[in-house]
Amino acid sequence: MTPRMLLHWSPRSPFVRKVMIVAHECGLSDRIDTVRTVVAASEPNIELMKENPQSRLPTLRLADGTVVHDSPVICEYFDTLNAGEKLFPAAWPERLAALRRQSLGDGMLDTMLMWRGEQLRPPQMQSDKHMQAWKLKTEVSVEKLEDEADALAASRFSIGHIAIGVALGYIDFRFPELQWRNSHPKIAAWHQAFEARPSVRANQAMDEP
């Protein structure tokens, strides 16, 4: 019997979406059981903290009870089980490019999650200064990706592509008013092709309770 894994999961979490896309790309999706888990910055999930003391998603439990958390670690673990072409290149400089792009995509998500959290605070408690800073970081990141779009399209699909694709998708999900595609045609075209991948179509973000 093939060992199964359990993933603490949320349809809203972009980092969960990232690891689920990787699971599909690695042919592992049928080995993962998902459990809906609610986390919030101000309300730690006591049950989840028994496995992940930081109370964060995604958190993965292996068949032997080992717990793995944070999307870069989970994604790289999945890639070790990948019988096909690896998402984490072994050779440099390809590996550096993939990891650098993953860092940018993950950093964009970290910024936008803080921005989103601030938006959910009572209006009188929100910091406009912080939200403007997070907005600027997001916009400058998209500008950087526009400059890199040709190189991204020409390079072998990797974890960096997935992280960037998920980050751009999260702008659409939570900050559609930015309308980033209007002035970034190259990265918009790349993202359209990314969204057409079966692994991506199978793992769409959903704003469900």
Side-chain angles (χ1 to χ4, degrees):
M1 183 176 180
T2 302
R4 301 193 63 77
M5 297 172 276
L6 184 143
L7 183 73
H8 289 279
W9 173 92
S10 166
R12 300 173 178 177
S13 167
F15 288 113
V16 167
R17 186 184 186 209
K18 177 187 168 190
V19 301
M20 289 301 297
I21 290 171
V22 169
H24 275 77
E25 292 283 344
C26 294
L28 301 173
S29 55
D30 61 350
R31 290 179 51 185
I32 299 172
D33 298 318
T34 58
V35 58
R36 180 72 167 90
T37 305
V38 178
V39 301
S42 60
E43 296 181 15
N45 184 314
I46 301 303
E47 286 302 310
L48 178 61
M49 289 176 73
K50 296 175 182 177
E51 298 189 278
N52 181 347
Q54 287 294 302
S55 183
R56 293 177 181 174
L57 300 179
T59 296
L60 180 73
R61 188 201 309 151
L62 307 185
D64 66 1
T66 300
V67 177
V68 186
H69 35 84
D70 282 351
S71 70
V73 183
I74 295 173
C75 290
E76 190 159 9
Y77 172 71
F78 284 167
D79 206 36
T80 68
L81 307 177
N82 181 7
E85 193 168 32
K86 299 296 186 181
L87 296 171
F88 287 78
W92 302 85
E94 291 80 11
R95 183 174 178 81
L96 180 60
L99 295 179
R100 178 181 60 79
R101 288 166 176 161
Q102 177 180 221
S103 179
L104 176 57
D106 286 356
M108 291 173 67
L109 291 178
D110 285 336
T111 293
M112 288 187 283
L113 286 169
M114 290 188 290
W115 184 5
R116 173 65 178 170
E118 191 71 13
Q119 288 181 331
L120 296 176
R121 286 159 55 86
Q124 68 274 15
M125 297 179 65
Q126 293 177 9
S127 169
D128 185 67
K129 182 178 181 180
H130 282 86
M131 289 193 291
Q132 288 301 315
W134 294 324
K135 180 175 183 287
L136 178 62
K137 289 180 181 181
T138 301
E139 291 174 337
V140 172
S141 295
V142 176
E143 290 285 350
K144 173 65 176 175
L145 289 172
E146 178 71 5
D147 294 339
E148 195 171 339
D150 290 341
L152 196 67
S155 58
R156 182 169 67 82
F157 191 75
S158 74
I159 188 61
H161 295 73
I162 294 173
I164 287 170
V166 170
L168 292 172
Y170 195 69
I171 301 177
D172 295 331
F173 183 52
R174 290 303 193 199
F175 305 98
E177 68 277 8
L178 295 185
Q179 298 183 332
W180 62 270
R181 288 179 176 80
N182 291 351
S183 53
H184 304 92
K186 291 183 179 181
I187 196 63
W190 176 85
H191 192 254
Q192 184 177 12
F194 171 81
E195 288 284 342
R197 294 181 74 92
S199 62
V200 179
R201 293 201 311 268
N203 294 284
Q204 295 296 324
M206 297 177 289
D207 198 1
E208 295 181 347

